[in-house]
Amino acid sequence: MLIFFILAFCTSMVSSAATASSAAAICKSTPDPAYCKTLLPRTSNSSANIYDYGRFSVRKSISQARKFSSIINKYLARKSQLSTPAVRALEDCKYLADLNLDFLTSTFSTVSSTSRTLPSLKAEDVQTLLSAILTNQQTCFDGISSTTSAWRVRNGITQPISNDTKLYSVSLALFTRGWVPERKNKKHSTTRNVRQGAKMYETLTKRNLLQATGDDSDDGGEVLVREMVTVSQDGTGNFTTITDAVNAAPNNTQAGNGYFLIYVTAGVYEEYVVIAKNKRYLMMIGDGINQTVVTGNRSVVDGWTTFNSATFVVTAPGFVMVNMTIRNTAGAVKHQAVALRSGADLSAFYSCSFEAYQDTLYTHSLRQFYRDCDIYGTVDFIFGNAAVVLQNCNLYPRLPMSGQFNAITAQGRTDPNQNTGTSIQSCNIMAAPDLAASDGTTRTYLGRPWKEYSRTVYMQSYMDGSVDPTGWNKWNGDFALDTLCYAEFDNTGPGSDTAGRVAWPGYQVINATVAMNFTVSNFLLGDEWLPQTGVTYTTGLV
């Protein structure tokens, strides 16, 4: 009985229902049935079913998304009358609103073409988009709410954000019930299936990238590269800045056409890099951690939103980064200051380092994978609402400001139907040198619930003595303690003892059967897209 509860709660098991039903009956499967009943039409058509109502909800969502984008545009048209932080928060909202329109349009093209459950991969694609829409709404709301000088803006757009969020939640719930196939309980396999990365990543020092990408040996599959450019600060490459190289990349490349590869030679690049959504299937490779470094120092204290404080931003699908360091040097005193923000679907980061203090790695949305990476930080230093797996990574809690504690994760799931969460597998949690040399009074927690349905799993990882025996910390009072999903499985080290862990309803020590749901092959369907990246990964449990 306990195992069933964990599976149903943590993995959002669904069953499809195509039979005709009233709006009231269908709304019972949504997070807010009362609102849902006011939204869906009362039809005399006795044949109306989950698919009819689902399509109606998505159409209405598209209409509302357009209206919200118009509201934002009206405020931005008067931005000369607003403070800089308010304008930046609005610009974030405009960007996110445009993404939502893209995602909803793509969703409608799918739901309008079929009235049956979809194949698992296609269903996962659409559920991922609808999950990201809710994340984008929350990000806009958080940015506007935290801008104290933007009270006029807050009063004008927070209610539309709230109303639209409820609508999008209905669309996600109906899609999940109607189009997503029933999830099968995964069985634990003792076979360790490791997909080795292509040789290209081991031959970088020889600078024979183009030759290596075509190698189809037993050590790795073929990684297709259509074109390669070099960035070098001494002028010997094609470009001297990363931004210029990104701008030269083709737009909207398809997966089968091969990567546009940017090789960034050793050096410290003081620039803010943005991989826009149209720079699809771009691969960026450096000369190694602490050799190729991208650095910036934007922070919330200096007037940036958390969302746009990042040194490196990527939103284009299919992005791959290898052998680079991304830093935000604002320091602990500047509070939220992001190194990398990723909202890139099907993105992979291999042998990279992300360094900052509060909010280092912003795994914002969609599906992401990190392998053999180093992440340094203090407060909530891995946060966001992507479906993300970190595998064989080193997580280094640093020494925070006086009076602060460390929280490794702050996962931001806001809706029980979102297929998001943070899975940390075969990683090492070890105090950074400054924390290790301190007086030992700083408390380090595995995570805390940023949003109501926060979901984080640690499995098969090493935890040193810096991890507090209670494991997890509260966000604010009893917030989310009943609805979060925090789990641990088969961890080792002095900080892994679960005897003194929190006794929250949403926390569990899970078994291998449940843990399998959070592996690369199941949580990310990684076997479908990771091989083409050339990045090493383990499909299941170790």
Side-chain angles (χ1 to χ4, degrees):
M1 186 67 179
L2 176 61
I3 291 176
F4 174 78
F5 168 77
I6 297 172
L7 280 168
F9 181 73
C10 288
T11 61
S12 300
M13 294 176 66
V14 297
S15 59
S16 57
T19 57
S21 185
S22 68
I26 284 176
C27 284
K28 289 180 181 179
S29 65
T30 67
D32 189 344
Y35 169 78
C36 176
K37 285 190 289 186
T38 68
L39 170 70
L40 297 185
R42 293 172 180 164
T43 177
S44 58
N45 182 359
S46 60
S47 65
N49 59 32
I50 187 71
Y51 302 110
D52 300 315
Y53 289 119
R55 281 187 281 268
F56 172 85
S57 178
V58 174
R59 281 197 301 269
K60 188 169 182 63
S61 294
I62 291 173
S63 176
Q64 289 303 113
R66 289 196 178 109
K67 290 179 181 178
F68 182 70
S69 184
S70 296
I71 292 173
I72 299 299
N73 285 337
K74 289 179 181 178
Y75 279 106
L76 286 173
R78 304 193 301 270
K79 64 182 180 181
S80 61
Q81 304 170 26
L82 301 172
S83 67
T84 297
V87 170
R88 287 172 174 163
L90 283 167
E91 288 173 342
D92 290 350
C93 288
K94 171 61 178 171
Y95 169 77
L96 294 163
D98 289 346
L99 277 182
N100 282 353
L101 271 172
D102 290 346
F103 294 166
L104 284 166
T105 301
S106 177
T107 295
F108 187 71
S109 70
T110 298
V111 300
S112 63
S113 64
T114 184
S115 293
R116 63 181 63 186
T117 55
L118 294 167
S120 294
L121 183 59
K122 185 62 178 177
E124 190 80 6
D125 288 344
V126 178
Q127 190 178 9
T128 295
L129 294 181
L130 292 171
S131 296
I133 289 167
L134 290 172
T135 303
N136 292 342
Q137 289 289 107
Q138 187 65 52
T139 303
C140 172
F141 179 83
D142 288 345
I144 292 293
S145 299
S146 64
T147 307
T148 56
S149 60
W151 62 270
R152 288 188 180 88
V153 175
R154 287 202 309 274
N155 292 342
I157 71 172
T158 52
Q159 193 59 50
I161 292 173
S162 177
N163 292 339
D164 292 350
T165 297
K166 290 191 290 185
L167 170 59
Y168 301 155
S169 178
V170 170
S171 294
L172 173 59
L174 298 186
F175 176 82
T176 302
R177 184 179 174 193
W179 282 270
V180 176
E182 182 177 354
R183 296 184 184 273
K184 304 298 183 182
N185 293 351
K186 310 298 190 304
K187 294 183 178 180
H188 172 52
S189 172
T190 58
T191 302
R192 184 183 183 188
N193 185 2
V194 180
R195 292 296 302 262
Q196 296 294 338
K199 283 185 176 180
M200 59 184 296
Y201 302 137
E202 282 72 47
T203 58
L204 292 181
T205 56
K206 300 177 183 178
R207 302 192 182 184
N208 59 350
L209 291 172
L210 286 179
Q211 292 86 345
T213 54
D215 192 319
D216 195 18
S217 68
D218 292 338
D219 290 329
E222 181 176 346
V223 177
L224 183 62
V225 174
R226 60 180 292 175
E227 185 179 354
M228 172 186 161
V229 297
T230 300
V231 178
S232 182
Q233 292 176 321
D234 63 8
T236 59
N238 303 95
F239 302 95
T240 57
T241 70
I242 299 171
T243 298
D244 286 345
V246 171
N247 291 338
N251 296 331
N252 298 315
T253 297
Q254 299 303 307
N257 294 339
Y259 290 100
F260 183 87
L261 194 157
I262 299 175
Y263 171 41
V264 186
T265 62
V268 177
Y269 295 81
E270 297 181 5
E271 55 179 303
Y272 295 94
V273 179
V274 176
I275 313 296
K277 64 181 182 180
N278 61 337
K279 300 297 182 180
R280 301 163 63 95
Y281 293 95
L282 188 152
M283 179 178 287
M284 189 173 293
I285 302 177
D287 271 333
I289 291 175
N290 293 329
Q291 298 300 309
T292 299
V293 179
V294 185
T295 184
N297 62 2
R298 290 175 177 169
S299 69
V300 167
V301 169
D302 287 337
W304 301 90
T305 61
T306 301
F307 187 74
N308 60 32
S309 69
T311 299
F312 198 109
V313 173
V314 54
T315 56
F319 178 77
V320 179
M321 177 186 284
V322 181
N323 288 357
M324 295 181 65
T325 290
I326 311 298
R327 287 182 185 147
N328 189 314
T329 61
V333 296
K334 294 299 181 74
H335 296 280
Q336 297 95 331
V338 176
L340 173 79
R341 187 190 89 221
S342 177
D345 199 22
L346 309 180
S347 56
F349 301 83
Y350 180 50
S351 189
C352 293
S353 179
F354 308 102
E355 303 172 9
Y357 286 84
Q358 183 170 347
D359 290 0
T360 302
L361 178 58
Y362 196 172
T363 56
H364 181 263
S365 55
L366 303 167
R367 291 165 289 189
Q368 308 176 26
F369 178 66
Y370 297 77
R371 172 81 182 204
D372 295 347
C373 292
D374 299 336
I375 303 104
Y376 295 81
T378 55
V379 180
D380 307 332
F381 67 91
I382 300 170
F383 77 114
N385 194 26
V388 56
V389 175
L390 294 94
Q391 196 175 82
N392 286 48
C393 294
N394 298 311
L395 315 183
Y396 293 111
R398 306 175 84 167
L399 183 65
M401 291 192 297
S402 177
Q404 285 186 327
F405 58 82
N406 289 329
I408 296 173
T409 64
Q411 206 283 325
R413 187 164 168 253
T414 60
D415 190 288
N417 288 304
Q418 287 178 307
N419 60 351
T420 55
T422 300
S423 175
I424 296 174
Q425 181 189 16
S426 300
C427 292
N428 296 307
I429 296 94
M430 301 176 293
D434 57 352
L435 180 62
S438 67
D439 60 11
T441 60
T442 297
R443 294 195 170 194
T444 296
Y445 300 96
L446 299 176
R448 58 180 184 151
W450 183 27
K451 303 298 179 185
E452 188 174 6
Y453 293 93
S454 183
R455 179 161 64 175
T456 303
V457 178
Y458 284 82
M459 51 192 191
Q460 301 179 314
S461 294
Y462 173 83
M463 303 177 181
D464 75 3
S466 66
V467 175
D468 191 85
T470 59
W472 308 81
N473 200 13
K474 297 179 179 180
W475 185 269
N476 185 16
D478 293 336
F479 171 73
L481 302 188
D482 291 340
T483 51
L484 61 78
C485 173
Y486 286 168
E488 296 181 57
F489 167 71
D490 196 26
N491 298 303
T492 60
S496 68
D497 186 355
T498 58
R501 291 297 198 246
V502 294
W504 304 338
Y507 169 77
Q508 300 288 344
V509 177
I510 57 177
N511 62 18
T513 301
V514 181
M516 279 293 293
N517 288 283
F518 300 99
T519 60
V520 168
S521 60
N522 294 328
F523 196 51
L524 298 182
L525 298 186
D527 295 323
E528 302 293 335
W529 59 275
L530 275 172
Q532 75 174 32
T533 69
V535 171
T536 298
Y537 70 97
T538 304
T539 60
L541 297 175
V542 177

